[in-house]
Amino acid sequence: MTLTAKTFLDTTRKSSSTATTPFIFIKAQDLKLLGKMWLGARDVQTPQQFWRTLEAEPELRTYISRRLSKGALLGGMGNIATVELSIPEKAVGCYCCLLEQEKSPEQPDTDGNGYVICFMGGSEKGLNLFRLELDKYVQGLQSSLQSPKLENFDMEVRPYLSRWYEESVMHIHRVVQLVQNNISFLLHAALSHILVEVINSDDRTKADVSRFIKAASLQGLSQQDTTTASLCKAMSEDTQTDLIIDCSTSPPTLTNTVSNRFCDDWIQAFLNAAERCNPFLLRQILENFKLKAIQDMNSLKRFVRQAEMSHYALFRCCQFLQGCGNGDVLLQNARAEHSDLPEACSIIAVLEEFLREQSQAQA
């Protein structure tokens, strides 16, 4: 199998204060299973690393060819693995996604042709945290790759590829940098299914906040599909107001803010990771935050079931809610999930009254 390659040098902006990051674009032809393949890879951080990485291009092309020949790349689904390159003598994470060309009457022989988009950077574990974002970003190229000669390559495709890291990975970092210590209000809003409105801002910031809230929420992770709908209905009945972020000031002004001790305890972890400009660590912290919230929800559900038969279990429920710092959110979700169970609802009402008394006593 003969491979021909031509390399282009482009630069992309990083969200941090570091220097611009070179972008490698490799064109390879006559690949088995594909008529043509395009690889976009972002891996290096300095010009010296860039030129050293060029020497590793044959290894990268061989790796992709091997994955294709084994049928490891499925159309539209990203595949993430660790790639061992002799230069720069370390393993890197590699995301690959096969975009197959649509058949057309004018080009009936396009079967088997397509494009492979390849992004490199960080580790396999780190890229896996952003798999959904990367899949969605790559799908955004589908319409631009239908032209057989890619006349729009320099104007559309290459600039789009060069922004993959900034658009698909750095959004959480930008949100933490934007709100700083107020990140707890966004975390609480995400857990409570409260709408967040961003005003006096550009579209990118609005999209970043929306994606952060979606990533931090537990929607789709509940054991019962009806829980989210029930919770949203309960929220509307409680007439809670939206969280508003006004970006006309610096730093932004937040109104209708609500938080709790559980969310406040995560502030420093987010700020430390943002200061290190480590988006992968930020995403892992966000996943740990959600995991802890889910674990506490499961614990409360177990205590509620036990409390139906034991007063001591009810006492343990009260102790748990007092200690976890997330009692308001947990009871909110429990009330929605147990809305059709009268005994559980009565226990939850007792627990809500307990939390109100505790809050008034502390005030």
Side-chain angles (χ1 to χ4, degrees), residues 217-237:
S217 74
L218 304 182
Q219 188 170 350
L221 300 178
S222 177
Q223 295 179 357
Q224 297 185 12
D225 296 335
T226 59
T227 299
T228 299
S230 300
L231 182 57
C232 291
K233 180 180 179 181
M235 294 296 297
S236 63
E237 292 174 351

Side-chain angles (χ1 to χ4, degrees), residues 4-5 13 39 41 68 113 118 145 153 160 162 170 194 205 214 227 234 242 246 273 280 297 342 359:
T4 60
R13 294 181 295 105
L39 300 178
L68 287 168
N113 289 350
C118 174
L145 297 179
F153 172 69
Y160 187 89
S162 70
M170 292 298 294
I194 294 176
T205 300
K214 183 177 180 181
T227 299
D242 299 347
D246 186 354
F280 302 110
M297 287 181 183
S359 178

Side-chain angles (χ1 to χ4, degrees), residues 126-139:
L127 290 180
N128 263 310
L129 294 171
F130 293 92
R131 178 188 295 272
L132 295 179
E133 286 87 349
L134 292 171
D135 283 345
K136 183 176 181 180
Y137 192 74
V138 168
Q139 291 301 320

Side-chain angles (χ1 to χ4, degrees), residues 17 25 40 49 70 155 182-183 220 234 294-295 297-298 342 357:
S17 59
F25 188 89
Q49 289 178 325
K70 293 181 178 180
M155 296 297 295
N182 293 325
I183 193 66
I294 292 173
Q295 289 173 340
M297 287 181 183
N298 291 334
E357 292 177 355

Side-chain angles (χ1 to χ4, degrees), residues 29-318:
Q29 295 177 324
D30 301 325
L31 280 171
K32 187 176 182 181
L33 298 185
L34 291 180
K36 64 178 67 174
M37 180 177 76
W38 296 82
L39 300 178
R42 180 193 187 283
D43 171 79
V44 291
Q45 296 184 351
T46 66
Q48 292 78 11
Q49 289 178 325
F50 167 72
W51 293 115
R52 291 179 61 198
T53 305
L54 293 186
E55 301 176 35
E57 284 180 11
E59 299 175 53
L60 180 60
R61 294 199 305 272
T62 299
Y63 167 77
I64 298 299
S65 300
R66 187 166 59 248
R67 303 289 291 179
L68 287 168
S69 64
K70 293 181 178 180
L73 298 182
L74 302 178
M77 297 179 60
N79 183 280
I80 299 176
T82 298
V83 180
E84 297 282 350
L85 299 178
S86 59
I87 300 173
E89 299 179 351
K90 66 176 183 179
V92 294
C94 179
Y95 168 91
C96 296
C97 185
L98 170 63
L99 292 181
E100 297 175 317
Q101 278 186 294
E102 298 179 0
K103 296 182 181 179
S104 64
E106 295 80 9
Q107 293 181 309
D109 60 341
T110 56
D111 185 28
N113 289 350
Y115 303 86
V116 171
I117 310 300
C118 174
F119 300 136
M120 298 184 66
S123 64
E124 178 181 351
K125 180 180 179 181
L127 290 180
N128 263 310
L129 294 171
F130 293 92
R131 178 188 295 272
L132 295 179
E133 286 87 349
L134 292 171
D135 283 345
K136 183 176 181 180
Y137 192 74
V138 168
Q139 291 301 320
L141 274 176
Q142 189 74 59
S143 60
S144 301
L145 297 179
Q146 297 309 310
S147 173
K149 295 183 180 180
L150 285 184
E151 294 89 349
N152 59 350
F153 172 69
D154 285 326
M155 296 297 295
E156 295 182 25
V157 177
R158 182 162 58 178
Y160 187 89
L161 285 172
S162 70
R163 296 191 301 270
W164 77 271
Y165 188 80
E166 188 175 355
E167 296 297 332
S168 300
V169 176
M170 292 298 294
H171 56 284
I172 295 177
H173 178 266
R174 289 194 294 268
V175 171
V176 177
Q177 289 286 79
L178 175 70
V179 299
Q180 293 291 317
N181 287 300
N182 293 325
I183 193 66
S184 62
F185 300 132
L186 273 67
L187 295 173
H188 189 275
L191 292 182
S192 303
H193 299 269
I194 294 176
L195 295 178
V196 179
E197 181 182 1
V198 182
I199 60 176
N200 299 318
S201 175
D202 53 39
D203 291 339
R204 183 186 191 185
T205 300
K206 293 179 180 178
D208 285 346
V209 172
S210 176
R211 294 166 69 190
F212 179 90
I213 295 297
K214 183 177 180 181
S217 74
L218 304 182
Q219 188 170 350
L221 300 178
S222 177
Q223 295 179 357
Q224 297 185 12
D225 296 335
T226 59
T227 299
T228 299
S230 300
L231 182 57
C232 291
K233 180 180 179 181
M235 294 296 297
S236 63
E237 292 174 351
D238 291 343
T239 63
Q240 296 201 23
T241 52
D242 299 347
L243 172 63
I244 299 176
I245 304 176
D246 186 354
C247 295
S248 62
T249 61
S250 181
T253 302
L254 281 70
T255 55
N256 304 326
T257 56
V258 180
S259 185
N260 58 27
R261 179 159 46 85
F262 175 78
C263 295
D264 291 344
D265 287 345
W266 290 86
I267 293 176
Q268 199 58 50
F270 279 97
L271 294 181
N272 291 342
E275 185 177 355
R276 295 166 57 183
C277 196
N278 189 333
F280 302 110
L281 179 57
L282 274 171
R283 185 55 178 265
Q284 185 61 65
I285 292 173
L286 190 59
E287 295 301 319
N288 292 344
F289 165 81
K290 292 163 59 178
L291 178 61
K292 177 58 177 172
I294 292 173
Q295 289 173 340
D296 287 348
M297 287 181 183
N298 291 334
S299 295
L300 178 61
K301 285 190 288 187
R302 186 175 67 253
F303 288 144
V304 168
R305 287 195 300 267
Q306 294 172 354
E308 295 177 5
M309 300 174 290
S310 168
H311 289 293
Y312 177 70
L314 180 60
F315 172 72
R316 291 181 62 194
C317 274
C318 295

